Amino acid sequence: MSKELLIDASHPEETRIAIKSDRGIEEYEYENIHRKNLKGNIYLGKVSRIEPSLQAAFVDFGNERHGFLAFNDIQSDYYQIPQADKDRIKKEEEEARAKLLEENDKEIVEHAEQNEEINLQDKNSSNGDQDEENIGNKVTNGSIDSQDENLVEDKPKNNRSFYRFKRYRIQEVIKPGQIVLIQIVKEERGKKGAALTTFISLAGKYIVLMPNTAKGGGISRKIYSSSDRKKMKEIINDLELPKTMGLIVRTAGANKTKNEIKDDLTNLLSTWEEIRMKTLKSIAPSTIYEEEDLIARAIRDFYSRDIDRIIVDGDKAFEAAKKYAKKISSAHSKNVVKYKGKIPIFHHYNIEKYLNSIFEPRIELKSGGYIIISPTEALVSIDINSGRSTRERNVEKTALTNNLEAAEEIARQVKLRDLAGLIVIDFIDMENYSNKRLVERKLRESLKNDKARIQFGRISNFGLLEMTRQRLRESSIKWEIQLSVDSFALKVLKLLEERAFSDSKIRIINVSLSKKIIDILNNNYSTELKFFKDKYKFKINLVQNSEFLSQEFLFSFFDSKKKLISEFNGTEVKEPSSKDIIENSTEQVVANNSENKEEVSDEKQNNYKGKRKRFFNKNRFKDNKKSKKKEPEAVKEVN
């Protein structure tokens, strides 16, 4: 299956990336210069206060809101305790970590062997489904995401939970004003500050380096093959890694050679040395290291052999993508291609319309059914309905077909919208036990390549399936039962850009909105509007309509001669009727006649003024000349 990595960086203030395959959109990420990604950044911070009731510290790292540092995420080197106790803690941590790594390797090998046996069994047999279910739960309950950095969080937490909490409390070992080197693991969300950790992790293409976690790490749980894991372990043991450091082999590192792993490790070690030197020279609070931009992260995390091309829209972005691809391998830079189309890249590849579906709570299915996604404060509810689906021979078959299609679409929408926390899916009721297992299996397979850690339940007697998903980033779309006014303004802007290219004749667009939405567009999205108008030569007029509610709008499209082409209100496209065409044409005729009359009257007036001016200029001194000729004749007669 061929894939393409599309990078849209034509706009100076935003960058978007999408992975397009034959099935649709596999991945989508968005970054704005006003809302930069902070996750992964490293800061030198100062402990502002200790909260014994939360067993956590708040750290000032230079941001307006202080970060939250849990006791679990504080490295033992920062403890202000006797050295003998500190040495004993480190020894216990190393023993626990080694034990956990051995258990994980055994567990993965067992899963691989059991999976091979399950594949030989009948898919519809209840025993096979039960075995697969047990395996799935074991893997997902402690699994790491495909970014693999999160293993850094899991390992030390397990160690500390067994030993450290029995002896010390945070107020006994950490003091206000203490300087700590921290990394952001979760973005700020609402009124919550960023979540921090002192266990640093640096992500490369094939490995993740943990420079201050001794003997930590291992191999990604998503590398299931026992032969691949054995090969990776041999490579790790041969690497000359300092005793104070650990590393994780990422999923992308499977089947890589020792030289490729070693080169990636060398780059990360040099990065850590730069961080260390800058930390020694800095004064808290200050920024020590910033995670790379979206383009570099996309190529690092998503680019693989499955992707045929990297297509980039934007000159600077193209140079940056080529530079980073060359940094990984000189052969990869040939696959970076510059987009030269006249319309935006996402419109050209017909994915903008699909991406705009994340603004809608309802998603249509090909079979005729539909999905309703309703995010709330505590959880996300997803409802599946059969709708117009009537192709199958009975109710059970109809339910199974809709549920299988919905499971695949839900997996895609969960990634695009970055839905997290508790997710409850209400599948269409099925009576057959094996059909329920098929739907569960389809959902797991569809979410197999998701970065986030996911835990699954099973379909209950009420047709409900519960799952939890890790939050990777703050979603660009915010819901308040319905769309917030800011996101609705962004929706109007994106729909406007999409509909502007629906007809090549469109040149003038009137957007009728409520005053509140117009104010938001003028205040927050004026640069986007100006950029779109200037680059693609559209004239866009924001028209206030006092009868519209905040969630209503109307697009009116005109050609260069101000002739109405069509109207769009978000649900249907309205073509101009014959009456509208006649009224529009008569208005144009009246306007043209009035303009012509004004032009004729102006011409007459100008002609009259010209003639009058020429007449006066010609006869100005005529009377004076005649009187001068008569005077001497009168004098002669007197004489």
Side-chain angles (χ1 to χ4, degrees):
M1 182 176 63
S2 62
K3 293 182 181 179
E4 291 178 327
L5 174 59
L6 308 178
I7 301 176
D8 181 11
S10 59
H11 195 283
E13 292 189 356
E14 70 176 18
T15 303
R16 299 189 296 168
I17 68 105
I19 295 179
K20 181 180 181 296
S21 68
D22 300 335
R23 297 178 182 175
I25 308 304
E26 301 291 331
E27 298 285 348
Y28 171 71
E29 284 197 23
Y30 165 90
E31 187 174 74
N32 192 295
I33 60 172
H34 302 298
R35 295 166 59 187
K36 283 190 174 181
N37 177 59
L38 298 179
K39 184 179 177 181
N41 291 0
I42 299 174
Y43 300 87
L44 189 64
K46 183 186 294 186
V47 177
S48 58
R49 73 179 193 273
I50 306 293
E51 286 293 341
S53 59
L54 301 175
Q55 281 299 291
F58 288 90
V59 181
D60 177 14
F61 60 96
N63 207 8
E64 184 178 352
R65 189 179 285 120
H66 292 188
F68 182 85
L69 179 63
F71 187 30
N72 292 358
D73 291 303
I74 301 177
Q75 193 188 16
S76 58
D77 290 340
Y78 292 107
Y79 286 11
Q80 298 182 11
I81 57 176
Q83 188 62 39
D85 291 350
K86 195 179 287 187
D87 293 339
R88 189 166 63 249
I89 288 174
K90 285 186 177 182
K91 186 178 179 181
E92 290 173 348
E93 285 178 354
E94 290 175 5
E95 291 174 357
R97 190 179 292 114
K99 187 177 179 180
L100 286 170
L101 289 174
E102 290 177 5
E103 290 176 358
N104 289 337
D105 287 336
K106 289 180 182 178
E107 190 177 329
I108 293 294
V109 172
E110 290 173 3
H111 294 336
E113 292 173 353
Q114 291 176 10
N115 275 327
E116 291 175 1
E117 294 174 3
I118 289 168
N119 290 333
L120 298 175
Q121 297 178 3
D122 183 11
K123 289 184 179 179
N124 292 328
S125 67
S126 59
N127 292 334
D129 290 329
Q130 183 67 33
D131 292 340
E132 184 182 17
E133 175 64 25
N134 293 336
I135 292 168
N137 282 336
K138 288 179 184 178
V139 173
T140 53
N141 283 341
S143 65
I144 49 174
D145 61 3
S146 62
Q147 284 190 349
D148 303 306
E149 301 90 3
N150 293 326
L151 185 66
V152 183
E153 301 171 44
D154 295 339
K155 299 300 180 189
K157 283 181 183 177
N158 288 331
N159 299 336
R160 287 190 293 273
S161 62
F162 287 121
Y163 300 98
R164 191 171 300 167
F165 294 153
K166 296 179 181 178
R167 302 182 182 181
Y168 299 102
R169 297 179 66 81
I170 190 169
Q171 64 268 27
E172 299 169 350
V173 296
I174 300 296
K175 306 300 179 186
Q178 188 171 343
I179 306 299
V180 289
L181 185 68
I182 52 92
Q183 186 175 33
I184 295 180
V185 292
K186 285 185 182 178
E187 297 269 3
E188 292 182 358
R189 181 165 169 259
K191 295 182 179 179
K192 294 181 181 179
L196 312 176
T197 183
T198 59
F199 293 91
I200 309 298
S201 61
L202 300 173
K205 176 67 177 172
Y206 307 122
I207 63 171
V208 176
L209 178 66
M210 297 178 293
N212 60 350
T213 307
K215 297 183 181 179
I219 302 168
S220 169
R221 281 176 171 266
K222 294 197 175 183
I223 302 176
Y224 295 106
S225 172
S226 57
S227 60
D228 289 343
R229 295 183 68 84
K230 187 177 179 181
K231 179 184 173 184
M232 288 295 107
K233 261 206 160 172
E234 291 175 357
I235 292 174
I236 292 173
N237 293 332
D238 291 341
L239 293 175
E240 296 179 0
L241 192 67
K243 293 182 179 180
T244 57
M245 299 185 181
L247 65 81
I248 304 169
V249 178
R250 305 184 69 176
T251 310
N255 300 322
K256 296 300 176 184
T257 63
K258 182 180 178 181
N259 290 335
E260 288 175 316
I261 301 292
K262 191 174 181 180
D263 291 342
D264 203 13
L265 176 61
T266 304
N267 292 333
L268 293 177
L269 287 172
S270 63
T271 303
W272 171 246
E273 186 61 24
E274 292 173 5
I275 292 171
R276 195 180 66 83
M277 296 304 295
K278 188 174 181 180
T279 303
L280 296 174
K281 298 176 183 177
S282 301
I283 299 174
S286 62
T287 304
I288 302 298
Y289 170 80
E290 289 187 353
E291 185 73 5
E292 293 174 299
D293 60 8
L294 180 59
I295 296 173
R297 295 200 309 271
I299 296 174
R300 182 191 72 193
D301 296 335
F302 298 128
Y303 182 65
S304 62
R305 294 176 182 176
D306 298 338
I307 296 176
D308 299 330
R309 294 187 302 168
I310 302 173
I311 307 172
V312 186
D313 186 4
D315 296 334
K316 292 182 179 178
F318 173 71
E319 296 297 331
K322 207 163 183 69
K323 181 181 178 182
Y324 193 83
K326 192 174 182 180
K327 184 179 176 182
I328 297 173
S329 173
S330 57
H332 295 325
S333 61
K334 298 177 183 178
N335 297 331
V336 181
V337 180
K338 187 176 180 181
Y339 175 73
K340 297 180 180 179
K342 294 183 179 180
I343 64 174
I345 184 171
F346 282 12
H347 294 280
H348 177 76
Y349 285 92
N350 298 322
I351 63 174
E352 189 71 53
K353 185 176 182 180
Y354 184 82
L355 290 176
N356 284 339
S357 67
I358 63 178
F359 294 102
E360 303 294 340
R362 175 169 172 153
I363 298 99
E364 300 288 343
L365 301 175
K366 292 179 181 178
S367 62
Y370 62 92
I371 301 170
I372 301 293
I373 300 178
S374 303
T376 66
E377 186 176 355
L379 58 86
V380 179
S381 65
I382 301 177
D383 184 30
I384 302 162
N385 296 288
S386 59
R388 302 187 306 274
S389 178
T390 55
R391 300 177 185 175
E392 305 301 333
R393 62 179 180 270
N394 55 41
V395 176
E396 183 73 13
K397 189 68 176 176
T398 301
L400 176 62
T401 303
N402 280 273
N403 286 339
L404 289 173
E405 188 180 355
E408 191 172 356
E409 185 62 31
I410 286 169
R412 190 176 290 111
Q413 290 293 330
V414 159
K415 288 195 292 182
L416 292 179
R417 300 172 186 237
D418 196 35
L419 301 177
L422 180 62
I423 300 173
V424 179
I425 305 173
D426 182 11
F427 286 104
I428 302 172
D429 292 338
M430 296 176 292
E431 295 181 359
N432 195 322
Y433 182 83
S434 62
N435 288 344
K436 294 181 180 180
R437 301 289 80 81
L438 284 174
V439 173
E440 292 171 4
R441 185 185 303 162
K442 184 68 173 178
L443 184 61
R444 284 189 178 83
E445 289 175 356
S446 302
L447 286 166
K448 191 175 182 181
N449 296 324
D450 197 335
K451 290 181 181 182
R453 282 196 306 271
I454 298 174
Q455 292 179 323
F456 293 92
R458 303 192 70 168
I459 297 177
S460 67
N461 295 332
F462 302 105
L464 301 178
L465 182 144
E466 297 177 357
M467 58 178 278
T468 60
R469 184 177 182 272
Q470 176 197 17
R471 186 179 303 279
L472 294 178
R473 65 184 186 278
E474 183 68 18
S475 177
S476 59
I477 306 301
K478 299 180 179 62
W479 289 84
E480 298 171 352
I481 306 302
Q482 59 182 5
L483 274 178
S484 65
V485 283
D486 189 66
S487 291
F488 179 77
L490 180 60
K491 170 188 173 180
V492 169
L493 180 62
K494 294 301 180 185
L495 274 176
L496 174 64
E497 294 176 359
E498 177 194 339
R499 301 299 305 178
F501 298 101
S502 61
D503 194 329
S504 59
K505 296 178 182 179
I506 294 174
R507 284 292 169 266
I508 303 171
I509 306 171
N510 288 347
V511 186
S512 300
L513 297 162
S514 64
K515 184 179 183 301
K516 191 174 185 179
I517 304 300
I518 290 177
D519 292 340
I520 292 173
L521 284 170
N522 289 330
N523 294 334
N524 300 344
Y525 301 102
S526 57
T527 54
E528 285 85 346
L529 270 172
K530 186 176 183 304
F531 172 80
F532 187 78
K533 288 191 290 185
D534 294 345
K535 183 168 184 179
Y536 301 106
K537 309 302 180 187
F538 287 107
K539 184 178 180 181
I540 300 173
N541 303 315
L542 300 180
V543 182
Q544 180 181 336
N545 191 327
S546 58
E547 296 180 358
F548 277 11
L549 300 175
S550 60
Q551 300 286 329
E552 294 179 337
F553 66 92
L554 178 67
F555 296 156
S556 301
F557 303 103
F558 301 87
D559 60 12
S560 57
K561 296 181 180 179
K562 299 182 180 179
K563 181 181 177 182
L564 181 64
I565 298 174
S566 63
E567 291 182 334
F568 179 70
N569 63 357
T571 55
E572 60 179 0
V573 178
K574 183 182 177 183
E575 299 293 338
S577 61
S578 58
K579 184 179 179 181
D580 294 334
I581 293 172
I582 292 170
E583 289 177 356
N584 190 37
S585 60
T586 52
E587 289 176 1
Q588 286 186 337
V589 170
V590 170
N592 292 333
N593 289 338
S594 61
E595 289 176 0
N596 292 334
K597 286 180 181 179
E598 290 176 1
E599 289 176 1
V600 170
S601 61
D602 290 341
E603 287 180 3
K604 286 183 178 180
Q605 191 172 2
N606 291 333
N607 291 336
Y608 174 76
K609 287 181 179 179
K611 288 180 180 180
R612 189 179 178 193
K613 190 174 181 181
R614 286 194 299 272
F615 175 81
F616 278 110
N617 288 338
K618 185 178 180 182
N619 301 321
R620 187 173 181 182
F621 302 102
K622 195 172 182 181
D623 295 335
N624 294 337
K625 290 177 181 178
K626 287 182 180 179
S627 61
K628 285 180 181 179
K629 288 180 181 179
K630 291 179 180 178
E631 283 178 358
E633 293 178 357
V635 171
K636 285 180 182 179
E637 289 176 357
V638 171
N639 291 332

